[in-house]
Amino acid sequence: MSSQAAPRSPGSVLYRERDSRPVLPVCDHYCGSPALLAKSLALQGGLGPVLDITADCEDGAPAGDELGHALRMAQAIDSPDNRFNRVGARTHPVFHACFKAELDTLMTHAGHRLAYLTLPKVRSVAEICTASTLCQQHEARLGLTTPVPFQVLIESPAALAEVHAIAAHPRVQALCFGLMDYVSSFEGAIGADALHGARQFEHPLLARALTDISLAAHAHGKVAVHSVTLAIGDGTAAGEDALRAARDFGYQRKWSIHPRQVEPIIAAFQPPAQDVRRAGEILLAAQAADWGPIRHVDELHDRASYRYWWHVLQQAWRTGVPLPPDVQAAFFGDA
């Protein structure tokens, strides 16, 4: 490499278009009321944009006041407390009677600030298309040039059967496993023990669902999102579930339903310190070799392994792992 040439960044060398996928915080924190949303925005303000917040307009809505609830949530999303524009909303199902009016409320009052819309109980890709068409109409009306992304809940065997078609839709950015509804859809054929602990990962039908959702997400460049940990105030259990989902099934994000779960989930997705050091050493050496093959600790590394270690380094950066000063300066700029 010429002494005058500036070092080339990993992003300019290692990636092709098909390698790209949405970059999302590893924790998605759910809030069912405006009061909880206000507290969660304060939490996000303190921690930074290392977590997303989802305003729950489905299960959080009082019966008979769905549109009033959606309006209150939209007003909070559009408030100054939303510092990072990383707040989305979960709607009612596309086939629900209030969906169109609810979507109108959210888009009219917060469409320009919505990070995403989460669609629950999706049964087919046709429902994604219906919701997308409605969103396009609102976006045109509001003059929005960037489509609001969808995060789609896979909560039944019917949805699982179409998971690749759902993942392929261009508006979909994430596939979320809805554990409770998925188990419920079997009408008692899967026991309640599968809702907790190791059994949620080891029951054959759930392991199949977890695997198929993750494979579809990765095949189509989307993010695989793990479900809730039902032990509400148990941060340790949430962190353990996140670690298992990440290591065994390739999940990249998990829901939180209590502030105590947030930091353990983020920690579970942080790469080990030794992997971060190794990634930095390999990528600095690769950059010095202008991204040609290198020998590092008696191992061959080339662009295939550079891509892997660049993912490790990016994950460390996104989840707040301290980086060696030379690595940070080379790949992420000054602190």
Side-chain angles (χ1 to χ4, degrees), residues 3-58:
S3 59
Q4 281 80 35
R8 292 194 288 171
S9 68
S12 69
V13 176
L14 301 181
Y15 289 94
R16 299 173 296 277
E17 184 178 356
R18 67 181 179 86
D19 294 315
S20 64
R21 72 183 65 241
V23 177
L24 300 176
V26 297
C27 182
D28 180 3
H29 183 59
Y30 264 67
C31 307
S33 71
L36 291 175
L37 180 52
K39 291 181 179 179
S40 298
L41 288 168
L43 176 66
Q44 187 188 54
L47 293 176
V50 295
L51 74 151
D52 278 349
I53 297 172
T54 298
D56 187 2
C57 296
E58 184 194 20

Side-chain angles (χ1 to χ4, degrees), residues 50-51 67 71 93 108 110 122 129 142 186 190 205 223 250 261 271 316 326:
V50 295
L51 74 151
L67 299 186
L71 176 60
T108 298
V122 168
C129 295
L142 298 169
F186 283 82
I190 298 177
L205 291 172
V223 175
Q261 296 183 349
D326 55 346

Side-chain angles (χ1 to χ4, degrees), residues 91 96 135 169 292 315:
T91 68
H96 194 280
C135 275
H169 193 284
Q315 183 79 343

